[in-house]
């Protein structure tokens, strides 16, 4: 009887717990974790698994090469049974390998700085017995000479990519730097494409198309994904130094590429071979450092996004999603947020046998929002379908947006549920680009499909080819559960407007859109006034010439610099309360940075506010209009400097200085101690 009472009590308690859990889920907004779980592989403390490459093996094991020169074989990476993976060192002594592939003929190919190395285990003990050079290339010794791959192609050939050197700008100091090279199984090389700057991620689609991802840098306004065919020039002219070689597939020279600052789409009309990106990843709005990507070939095991691409971001420790389409025979498409919260900077992704995704990470020297130095995690679909924009496709008069679940017709037919904006970037030798020529796109009407799984957004103007189009649907709700979209924004790169018939809108849809357009114009005017005020307020906190009344000069001069790994070169500075201060900020790094003086304990809050500036971020130098901001520099290009002048706070305390560029603020901080 006692056991029965205990059993009844236990069952009742479980029932209450289950009910409470379901009630809690129903009461809170849905999160990424509800649909895609991140599982962490434990790594022994004596193994520094700074992942440079991952390779799944047919027997379920996972191989990983590390930036420290080792190759490890991980048994039980799915953590079944004992749930404890085990690690065995397969090879060592390599020079910062950043790519690993298991060849179907039974050996590893690992790309280190100066060669692709063949690693063979001849006796089956899971330790490499033979190290041989598969293909070599020259090195200059520059620290930025990273090398990636190989990637196996359907015909049995392979491709690798070689990073540019960095000497204050991208340079090709050694032969073929900035190129993708094609290798046969015999190690014979053919130059394939150039214009690459930092090509860490590249992949192949089901149809054989080769695409690669690029990071913001010189000649690269923002992260992007480009289709590489033989003879493609992807934009950075440094690699064209070798276009005169007999085997080069193009003859374009570096001096043939002007740095005009015009949009890349416009420049491509006048430069043969220049290929515009299929997809732009708007800097800081999506990520800051695109890396590896994989097409979803899991046949539904990873959720409702079959054939879409999942793209890692090293700096923001996140995965993004891309839906491509072909218009006039060329790839273009949209990128969407997908999953944040990884423990380190994402470098490599591979599919597991169960349709989950293994994610390999490292942040040494390439700091990331994830706090760990390295790691391997596994992203697993829970089986629940998130309410998302599934695709955005081009139409002759706007866009067609499909959804993973049916939409609520009332909110979906209301133009106020949506907003469209378009913008572009400068194509120039300068590092990165601000958002250029941003304009709202008025909506003429919305037509929702009978099944509720798509909405046609008809624009009230001709869309601009070559521009990125921000599609927001913040007012949209699902037909079941009245849920908002898990991610309410996508960015479509419109290289060509799709042909076809324009949509005839019902009179009601046009009337609703006209009413919404009038409201939008009024809202935009108000927003423009607010934005102007914000910029003026921010600029008032930046004085770059010494005040006229400082007749004896500053009381104190302080200097702050930067160093690799998202760090200032000083952690603590001291000034006297109320003193006249001259601050010199030197950006010695190869990335964009600013220096913002904040109130005590406010550095993180300022960084979070900068992240929310969205399209206004670049024009405000990622400095929010906040009382927490006391003084600041502008965003500085690599190898540049700026001096500002200010009066130190009169109240003693531990103030802070921070780089508020999105993704930098959590790591790049210091203390400005104000004393009496």
């Amino acid at each position: 009887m006692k056991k029965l009472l205990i059993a009844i009590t236990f069952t009742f308690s479980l029932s209450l717990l289950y009910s409470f859990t379901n009630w809690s889920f129903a009461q809170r907004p849905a999160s990424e974790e509800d649909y895609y779980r991140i599982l962490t592989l434990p790594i022994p403390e004596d193994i520094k698994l700074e992942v440079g490459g991952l390779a799944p093996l047919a027997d379920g094991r996972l191989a990983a090469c590390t930036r420290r020169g080792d190759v490890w074989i991980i048994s039980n990476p799915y953590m079944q049974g004992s749930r404890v993976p085990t690690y065995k060192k397969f090879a060592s002594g390599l020079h910062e390998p950043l790519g690993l592939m298991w060849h179907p003929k039974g050996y590893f190919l690992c790309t280190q700085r100066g060669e692709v190395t063949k690693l063979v285990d001849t006796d089956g003990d899971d330790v490499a017995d033979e190290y041989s050079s598969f293909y070599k290339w020259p090195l200059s010794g520059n620290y930025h000479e990273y090398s990636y791959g190989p990637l196996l192609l359907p015909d049995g050939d392979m491709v690798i990519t070689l990073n540019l050197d960095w000497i204050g700008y991208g340079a090709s100091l050694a032969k073929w730097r900035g190129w993708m090279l094609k290798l046969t199984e015999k190690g014979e090389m053919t130059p394939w494409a150039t214009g690459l700057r930092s090509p860490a991620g590249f992949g192949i689609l089901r149809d054989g198309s080769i695409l690669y991802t690029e990071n913001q840098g010189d000649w690269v306004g923002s992260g992007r994904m480009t289709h590489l065919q033989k003879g493609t020039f992807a934009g950075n002219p440094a690699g064209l130094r070798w276009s005169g070689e007999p085997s080069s597939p193009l003859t374009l020279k570096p001096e043939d590429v002007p740095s005009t600052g015009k949009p890349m789409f416009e420049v491509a009309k006048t430069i043969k071979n220049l290929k515009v990106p299929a997809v732009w990843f708007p800097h800081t709005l999506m990520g800051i450092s695109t890396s590896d990507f994989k097409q979803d070939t899991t046949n539904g095991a990873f959720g409702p996004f079959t054939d879409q691409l999942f793209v890692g971001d090293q700096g923001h420790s996140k995965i993004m999603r891309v839906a491509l389409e072909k218009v006039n025979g060329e790839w273009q498409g949209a990128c969407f947020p997908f999953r944040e919260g990884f423990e380190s900077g994402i470098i490599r992704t591979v599919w597991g046998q169960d349709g989950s995704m293994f994610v390999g990470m490292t942040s040494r020297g390439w700091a990331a929002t994830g706090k760990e130095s390295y790691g391997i995690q596994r992203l697993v679909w829970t089986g629940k379908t998130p309410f998302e924009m599934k695709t955005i496709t081009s139409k002759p008069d706007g866009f067609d947006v499909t959804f993973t679940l049916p939409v609520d017709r009332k909110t979906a037919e209301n133009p106020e549920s949506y907003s469209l904006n378009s913008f572009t970037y400068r194509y120039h030798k300068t590092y990165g680009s601000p958002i250029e020529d941003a304009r709202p796109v008025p909506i003429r009407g919305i037509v929702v499909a009978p099944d509720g799984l798509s909405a046609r957004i008809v624009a009230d103007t001709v869309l601009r080819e070559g521009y990125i189009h921000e599609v927001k649907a913040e007012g949209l709700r699902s037909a079941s559960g009245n849920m908002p979209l898990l991610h309410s924004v996508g960015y479509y790169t419109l290289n060509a407007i799709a042909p076809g018939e324009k949509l005839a809108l019902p009179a009601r849809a046009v009337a609703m859109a006209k009413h919404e357009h009038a409201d939008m114009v009024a809202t935009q005017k108000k927003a423009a006034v607010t934005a102007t005020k914000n910029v003026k307020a921010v600029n008032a906190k930046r004085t770059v010439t010494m005040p006229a009344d400082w007749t004896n000069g500053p009381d104190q001069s302080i200097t702050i610099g930067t160093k690799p790994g998202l760090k200032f070169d000083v952690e603590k500075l001291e000034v006297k309360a109320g003193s006249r201060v001259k601050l010199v900020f030197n950006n010695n790094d190869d990335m964009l940075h600013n220096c913002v003086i904040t109130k005590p304990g406010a550095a993180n809050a300022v960084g979070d506010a900068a992240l929310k500036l969205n399209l206004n971020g670049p024009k405000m130098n990622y400095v929010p209009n906040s009382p927490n901001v006391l003084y600041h520099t502008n965003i500085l290009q690599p190898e540049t400097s700026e001096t500002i002048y200010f009066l130190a706070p009169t109240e003693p305390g531990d103030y802070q200085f921070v780089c508020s560029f999105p993704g930098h603020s959590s790591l790049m901080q210091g203390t400005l101690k104000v004393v009496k």
Side-chain angles (χ1 to χ4, degrees):
M1 185 65 178
K2 186 176 180 180
K3 290 182 179 180
L4 179 60
L5 287 172
I6 291 172
I8 292 172
T9 303
F10 180 68
T11 303
F12 180 68
S13 299
L14 281 180
S15 177
L16 282 176
L17 179 61
Y18 178 77
S19 299
F20 178 77
T21 301
N22 283 337
W23 177 85
S24 298
F25 180 77
Q27 297 301 309
R28 64 171 174 79
S31 70
E32 294 173 341
E33 175 72 12
D34 295 323
Y35 306 101
Y36 289 89
R37 300 240 172 98
I38 297 175
L39 306 178
T40 303
L41 273 66
I43 300 171
E45 290 186 5
D46 60 338
I47 299 176
K48 307 301 181 186
L49 208 72
E50 298 175 346
V51 177
L54 291 176
L57 304 181
D59 61 7
R61 295 181 298 168
L62 180 68
C65 67
T66 76
R67 295 178 63 197
R68 294 175 181 251
D70 301 323
V71 177
W72 294 87
I73 294 181
I74 307 167
S75 299
N76 194 25
Y78 300 92
M79 298 189 289
Q80 299 170 339
S82 68
R83 299 190 61 80
V84 179
T86 57
Y87 297 77
K88 184 168 184 178
K89 187 181 289 187
F90 180 82
S92 60
L94 304 173
H95 188 182
E96 196 168 23
L98 290 172
L100 183 67
M101 185 190 87
W102 174 254
H103 197 281
K105 293 193 174 179
Y107 52 85
F108 284 108
L109 290 175
C110 186
T111 299
Q112 49 178 325
R113 288 234 168 184
E115 70 170 35
V116 177
T117 306
K118 184 176 180 180
L119 303 171
V120 184
D121 173 16
T122 59
D123 55 11
D125 65 350
D126 290 333
V127 177
D129 304 297
E130 294 181 4
Y131 296 61
S132 60
S133 178
F134 183 79
Y135 180 73
K136 289 185 177 182
W137 51 87
L139 293 173
S140 73
N142 186 274
Y143 83 98
H144 212 244
E145 289 185 326
Y146 308 118
S147 306
Y148 314 98
L151 169 71
L152 186 66
L153 302 177
D155 62 2
D157 287 347
M158 293 159 277
V159 287
I160 61 172
T161 58
L162 306 183
N163 222 79
L164 286 180
D165 305 271
W166 182 259
I167 54 174
Y169 54 89
S172 186
L173 303 180
K175 196 172 182 179
W176 304 123
R177 283 280 147 196
W179 284 73
M180 172 175 278
L181 308 177
K182 192 173 185 181
L183 306 177
T184 68
E185 190 179 331
K186 295 180 180 179
E188 300 162 332
M189 187 275 287
T190 301
W192 186 254
T194 190
L196 287 59
R197 192 193 76 88
S198 185
F202 50 105
I204 184 167
L205 305 187
R206 287 185 192 266
D207 72 346
S209 297
I210 302 170
L211 292 93
Y212 97 106
T213 55
E214 183 64 89
N215 298 325
Q216 186 191 65
D218 51 327
W219 299 94
V220 186
S222 184
R224 62 197 190 198
M225 174 182 284
T226 305
H227 178 206
L228 297 181
Q229 298 164 292
K230 189 173 184 179
T232 292
F233 169 52
N236 191 302
L240 293 172
R241 176 183 178 185
W242 311 107
S243 63
E245 293 293 316
S247 56
S248 171
L250 66 169
T251 58
L252 194 69
K253 300 296 181 184
E255 55 269 23
D256 297 331
V257 184
S259 177
T260 63
K262 293 180 180 179
M264 192 175 186
F265 184 82
E266 295 300 321
V267 179
K269 295 176 181 179
T270 62
I271 296 183
K272 186 181 178 181
N273 301 107
L274 177 58
K275 191 72 169 284
V276 296
V279 175
W280 287 95
F281 299 89
H283 200 67
T284 74
L285 300 176
M286 287 295 296
I288 61 172
S289 185
T290 48
S291 59
D292 207 9
F293 68 90
K294 291 291 178 289
Q295 186 174 31
D296 183 357
T297 56
T298 67
N299 298 317
F302 196 66
F305 304 109
T306 298
D307 284 336
Q308 294 192 14
L309 309 181
F310 292 88
V311 184
D313 191 86
Q314 197 280 330
H316 275 183
S317 303
K318 70 199 297 186
I319 299 282
M320 302 169 287
R321 179 169 59 89
V322 167
L324 292 172
E325 65 169 333
K326 270 192 174 179
V327 177
N328 298 337
E330 295 288 344
W331 290 113
Q332 62 185 42
C335 60
F336 307 88
F338 183 68
R339 186 62 164 96
E340 297 183 342
F342 289 88
E343 65 180 351
S344 190
I346 296 172
I347 297 294
R348 294 284 164 245
T349 56
V350 295
W351 293 116
Q353 292 180 338
D354 62 351
S356 62
M357 177 185 285
F358 285 100
V359 180
M361 296 163 283
T362 176
S363 65
R364 176 171 58 89
W366 310 325
T369 54
K371 303 300 182 185
E372 300 298 324
S373 299
Y374 52 82
I376 297 180
Q377 293 181 304
R378 196 163 135 249
L379 190 60
V380 181
W381 182 42
T382 65
K384 299 176 184 177
T385 299
F387 180 42
E388 295 270 40
M389 285 191 277
K390 188 175 183 179
T391 64
I392 301 172
T393 54
S394 174
K395 296 297 177 183
D397 51 5
F399 297 101
D400 192 71
V401 182
T402 67
F403 305 98
T404 56
L405 297 171
V407 296
D408 165 61
R409 186 166 294 275
K410 182 179 179 180
T411 57
E413 290 180 341
N414 186 355
E416 292 185 8
S417 295
Y418 308 85
S419 66
L420 297 179
N421 291 282
S422 62
F423 59 93
T424 187
Y425 294 105
R426 298 173 188 167
Y427 176 56
H428 56 184
K429 63 183 179 182
T430 305
Y431 194 104
S433 167
I435 286 171
E436 286 284 299
D437 198 15
R439 298 182 198 171
V441 179
I443 295 173
R444 186 165 181 262
I446 308 291
V447 176
V448 179
D451 62 5
L453 286 173
S454 67
R456 180 82 170 259
I457 304 175
V458 179
D460 201 25
T461 185
V462 177
L463 298 179
R464 296 187 289 174
E465 290 185 326
Y467 280 67
I468 303 122
H469 286 72
E470 179 187 66
V471 180
K472 281 190 174 181
E474 294 176 322
L476 208 63
R477 295 296 180 267
S478 63
S480 176
N482 195 39
M483 296 184 298
L485 288 161
L486 184 62
H487 302 101
S488 61
V489 66
Y491 294 92
Y492 188 95
T493 300
L494 187 70
N495 292 325
I497 296 174
E501 295 294 325
K502 293 185 178 181
L503 191 65
L505 291 171
R508 177 174 172 271
V510 175
M512 288 181 67
K514 285 182 177 178
H515 174 72
E516 187 271 342
H517 179 60
D519 289 344
M520 182 185 74
V521 170
T523 300
Q524 287 167 354
K525 287 181 178 178
K526 184 177 179 181
V529 171
T530 301
T532 301
K533 288 181 178 178
N534 285 339
V535 171
K536 288 180 179 178
V538 166
N539 288 341
K541 298 177 180 181
R542 172 177 168 263
T543 301
V544 295
T545 56
M546 190 172 68
D549 59 351
W550 290 19
T551 53
N552 295 323
D555 299 319
Q556 291 179 260
S557 295
I558 58 177
T559 300
I560 300 173
T562 62
K563 59 183 182 180
L566 295 187
K567 295 179 181 178
F568 290 109
D569 62 359
V570 291
E571 295 181 359
K572 189 173 182 179
L573 290 166
E574 187 175 294
V575 297
K576 289 185 178 181
S579 63
R580 294 172 295 187
V581 179
K582 173 185 176 182
L583 185 150
V584 179
F585 177 51
N586 298 315
N587 184 13
N588 317 112
D589 199 9
D590 58 3
M591 291 188 283
L592 302 174
H593 295 298
N594 65 8
C595 182
V596 182
I597 309 296
T598 77
K599 290 182 178 180
N604 289 330
V606 168
D608 291 342
L611 191 60
K612 297 173 183 176
L613 290 175
N614 296 323
L615 294 180
N616 290 319
K619 71 177 71 171
M620 296 178 68
N621 283 275
Y622 296 103
V623 180
N625 181 15
S626 165
N628 285 322
V629 174
L630 300 180
Y631 313 103
H632 70 93
T633 70
N634 273 351
I635 291 288
L636 297 190
Q637 290 285 320
E639 309 295 336
T640 61
S641 178
E642 183 170 279
T643 300
I644 62 172
Y645 301 84
F646 61 88
L647 291 176
T650 56
E651 186 69 28
D654 288 340
Y655 294 76
Q656 293 181 278
F657 53 93
V658 60
C659 174
S660 64
F661 192 90
H664 296 188
S665 62
S666 62
L667 296 168
M668 204 165 173
Q669 298 183 14
T671 301
L672 180 67
K673 189 174 186 64
V674 176
V675 298
K676 290 184 179 180

